[in-house]
Amino acid sequence: MKRVWKLSDAAQTELLLQRLQRHSSKPKTLPPLSVFTLTKSPNHSFTRDLCAPATHTVFPTLVRLLSETLTYPDARVRKDLTQKVSALRDELLENVDDLDKVFRVLDEKGLCLFRRHSNGYAFVELMKQLGSRPRLALEVLNWRRRQAGYGTPMTKEEYTKGIKFAGRINNVDLAADLFAEAANKHLKTIGTYNALLGAYMYNGLSDKCQSLFRDLKKEANISPSIVTYNTLISVFGRLLLVDHMEAAFQEIKDSNLSPNVFTYNHLIAGYMTAWMWGKVEEIYQMMKAGPVMPDTNTYLLLLRGYAHSGNLPRMEKIYELVKHHVDGKEFPLIRAMICAYCKCSVTDRIKKIEALMRLIPEKQYRPWLNVILIRVYAKEDCLEEMEKSINDAFEHKTSVTTVSIMRCIVSSYFRCNAVDKLANFLKRAESAGWRLCRSLYHGKMVMYASQRRVEEMESVLKEMENYKIDRSKKTFWIMYYAYATCGQRHKVNQVLGLMCKNGYDVPVDAFPS
């Protein structure tokens, strides 16, 4: 299964915590590098996809935390600087379509501001505020690099920020170039290492993650931080390398580093990906015992995992803990819970599904979810709800191409004896290009026959011919019993003749002794 390589909110956030995690003493000797060889574990040969499309951009969190780790002289100075940078940002955004004007604004108003704050505060703050425009931020970074030779050299924080933005727009080569440039200027730190490690991870380059970690371990004056190990744990978890993930967690303990909430969240995510629910619960209970308590991301992760695994009791329990956060915000999670109810046969699942559906606005329509709802409503014979979902599908031009779904629909109409509604649906399905199958027409024939509407039943045969659906043995048997019930003996004999002609068995009561 194709793995989606994107940082979770937790991973993104803690990539910037390295400034808070530095240690003056050298950590204990690490195990051999072979411990972190990226070969797939034989015990975990399959992948369960617990991911969903991200609901928001991930890197702004990184950018925000980087600036928050910088130490400003006082709150007043920081506020004043933030306002000045905001004014500069607004002017840059006004000219975003013309790079020449962008550079002119930077020359006229940015240069003096950055020189007054040669420690990098102003530039890092600008990069933070350009978080929603990563490409513009990199153009500003390139401008800053050109200015570095005129008395305002770049700082390690500025390089760290640039590496992260390069990773965000999938420009790994630029991220590596910035890292090398920082190294050549003796600005290589655990922050730049972690930034590049995160960029590689974001772009799914696991081999480069491994290689960079090896280079880091060779550094005499730079030691891996908790952020480094957390990134490795996330990488190994996504690759189903549970033994490697656990080895990295053990190295954290051996290196006298303190695991944080991101560490445990990555472990939970890794165990979920490997479908190891006992381990998931073990880590969760470990967090509840302290000193690192679960955070909102932990609960959201558990909620998604239990929804995918179909563990409804645990899912509902976790949902109650974060209901205030999920409702109206976490639409992918709400959809995951709806799918969980659709897969499980619980007595009140329709009621619970409807309650969750009311939390999703119309603009969040998803074709695949609508088709799932059609099937569930059909199986539960909720005709009104099923037809509402069918109408939604027609309005959004969603096509159903699965025979099993179409059979569920016709079966529901059959059990509800709603032949006219089935006829209307079938007409719309034919026009919309939905998957047609013989069962649809047979169901309509049987219902027409049961109501002695022989002429309408015969019109179904013409519809089948129009869509090149051949008559089968079952088709003739339906015709036989329909004509026999209505007392049309001459047509019964015609059907019997056609059955014999096509080599089909005839009903045992066709020729009474």
Side-chain angles (χ1 to χ4, degrees), residues 70-296:
L70 295 175
T71 304
Y72 288 84
D74 56 55
R76 183 186 60 79
V77 174
R78 176 172 182 171
K79 181 179 179 180
D80 180 64
L81 176 61
T82 301
Q83 291 175 345
K84 291 179 180 178
V85 171
S86 296
L88 177 60
R89 176 209 60 198
D90 292 341
E91 195 162 348
L92 292 175
L93 292 176
E94 289 175 1
N95 298 281
V96 68
D97 296 327
D98 189 338
L99 284 181
D100 289 336
K101 291 183 179 180
V102 167
F103 295 145
R104 191 178 306 122
V105 170
L106 289 170
D107 289 336
E108 295 174 356
K109 300 182 179 180
L111 192 57
C112 59
L113 178 63
F114 299 145
R115 284 177 176 173
R116 285 200 302 271
H117 299 274
S118 58
N119 50 18
Y121 290 168
F123 186 76
V124 168
E125 177 65 25
L126 177 61
M127 295 290 280
K128 165 194 167 184
Q129 295 190 22
L130 291 176
S132 61
R133 296 294 188 95
R135 296 186 183 279
L136 175 60
L138 280 182
E139 292 294 343
V140 174
L141 175 67
N142 288 332
W143 173 87
R144 176 71 181 89
R145 291 168 70 189
R146 292 192 293 270
Q147 298 299 319
Y150 299 99
T152 54
M154 289 184 63
T155 66
K156 54 184 179 293
E157 289 83 7
E158 291 172 335
Y159 277 113
T160 299
K161 187 78 69 175
I163 293 170
K164 288 180 174 65
F165 274 107
R168 178 182 174 185
I169 64 169
N170 309 116
N171 194 335
V172 178
D173 291 337
L174 177 58
D177 289 343
L178 289 169
F179 178 82
E181 186 177 308
N184 292 335
K185 295 180 179 180
H186 305 289
L187 295 175
K188 185 167 54 176
T189 65
I190 188 59
T192 55
Y193 264 109
N194 286 339
L196 185 57
L197 197 67
Y200 286 152
M201 177 184 171
Y202 181 81
N203 289 279
L205 303 175
S206 57
D207 290 340
K208 288 185 178 293
C209 284
Q210 179 192 26
S211 177
L212 184 64
F213 180 69
R214 288 173 175 167
D215 293 341
L216 172 58
K217 290 173 70 176
K218 295 175 184 178
E219 293 285 350
N221 300 317
I222 304 175
S223 301
S225 69
I226 188 62
V227 178
T228 313
Y229 286 110
N230 287 350
T231 305
L232 285 175
I233 289 173
S234 182
V235 169
F236 294 142
R238 292 167 184 266
L239 291 174
L240 287 174
L241 299 172
V242 176
D243 48 349
H244 293 61
M245 181 179 73
E246 292 174 340
F249 183 57
Q250 184 60 45
E251 280 218 21
I252 292 175
K253 299 177 181 178
D254 296 341
S255 301
N256 292 326
L257 295 173
S258 299
N260 55 31
V261 68
F262 308 111
T263 311
Y264 292 110
N265 285 350
H266 293 326
L267 286 170
I268 289 175
Y271 286 130
M272 281 184 176
T273 305
W275 227 240
M276 299 174 67
W277 298 103
K279 286 288 190 179
V280 169
E281 193 64 27
E282 180 182 324
I283 298 297
Y284 176 52
Q285 295 301 327
M286 187 186 304
M287 295 180 75
K288 289 175 66 176
V292 180
M293 300 300 293
D295 66 356
T296 300

Side-chain angles (χ1 to χ4, degrees), residues 168-431:
R168 178 182 174 185
I169 64 169
N170 309 116
N171 194 335
V172 178
D173 291 337
L174 177 58
D177 289 343
L178 289 169
F179 178 82
E181 186 177 308
N184 292 335
K185 295 180 179 180
H186 305 289
L187 295 175
K188 185 167 54 176
T189 65
I190 188 59
T192 55
Y193 264 109
N194 286 339
L196 185 57
L197 197 67
Y200 286 152
M201 177 184 171
Y202 181 81
N203 289 279
L205 303 175
S206 57
D207 290 340
K208 288 185 178 293
C209 284
Q210 179 192 26
S211 177
L212 184 64
F213 180 69
R214 288 173 175 167
D215 293 341
L216 172 58
K217 290 173 70 176
K218 295 175 184 178
E219 293 285 350
N221 300 317
I222 304 175
S223 301
S225 69
I226 188 62
V227 178
T228 313
Y229 286 110
N230 287 350
T231 305
L232 285 175
I233 289 173
S234 182
V235 169
F236 294 142
R238 292 167 184 266
L239 291 174
L240 287 174
L241 299 172
V242 176
D243 48 349
H244 293 61
M245 181 179 73
E246 292 174 340
F249 183 57
Q250 184 60 45
E251 280 218 21
I252 292 175
K253 299 177 181 178
D254 296 341
S255 301
N256 292 326
L257 295 173
S258 299
N260 55 31
V261 68
F262 308 111
T263 311
Y264 292 110
N265 285 350
H266 293 326
L267 286 170
I268 289 175
Y271 286 130
M272 281 184 176
T273 305
W275 227 240
M276 299 174 67
W277 298 103
K279 286 288 190 179
V280 169
E281 193 64 27
E282 180 182 324
I283 298 297
Y284 176 52
Q285 295 301 327
M286 187 186 304
M287 295 180 75
K288 289 175 66 176
V292 180
M293 300 300 293
D295 66 356
T296 300
N297 288 326
T298 310
Y299 292 120
L300 297 181
L301 190 61
L302 290 170
L303 181 60
R304 185 184 300 279
Y306 288 130
H308 280 275
S309 67
N311 190 336
L312 297 187
R314 294 292 298 156
M315 181 190 79
E316 291 173 345
K317 185 176 181 180
I318 296 296
Y319 176 54
E320 288 302 318
L321 296 176
V322 288
K323 181 180 174 68
H324 63 285
H325 181 84
V326 173
D327 292 356
K329 299 178 183 177
E330 300 290 341
F331 300 121
L333 280 178
I334 296 174
R335 286 191 285 267
M337 289 191 289
I338 292 172
C339 288
Y341 285 122
C342 290
K343 295 175 183 177
C344 300
S345 298
V346 291
T347 54
D348 57 346
R349 66 172 179 169
I350 297 298
K351 180 181 178 181
K352 293 179 177 180
I353 288 172
E354 287 295 297
L356 290 172
M357 283 298 298
R358 285 193 288 270
L359 301 175
I360 302 179
E362 174 65 25
K363 64 181 180 180
Q364 288 290 326
Y365 172 86
R366 294 293 184 274
W368 59 267
L369 179 60
N370 194 51
V371 172
I372 291 174
L373 291 174
I374 291 174
R375 182 178 60 186
V376 171
Y377 292 141
K379 288 183 176 180
E380 296 289 340
D381 291 335
C382 298
L383 208 59
E384 183 178 346
E385 290 81 0
M386 181 188 77
E387 291 200 314
K388 181 180 180 300
S389 294
I390 289 174
N391 289 334
D392 288 341
F394 285 132
E395 290 175 5
H396 289 89
K397 302 186 184 304
T398 300
S399 296
V400 174
T401 59
T402 307
V403 172
S404 60
I405 302 293
M406 300 300 284
R407 285 176 177 165
C408 282
I409 294 173
V410 68
S411 297
S412 181
Y413 280 123
F414 182 82
R415 290 189 295 268
C416 296
N417 196 27
V419 63
D420 293 324
K421 290 185 177 182
L422 172 60
N424 180 59
F425 161 73
L426 188 51
K427 187 181 298 182
R428 297 177 71 188
E430 290 169 347
S431 301

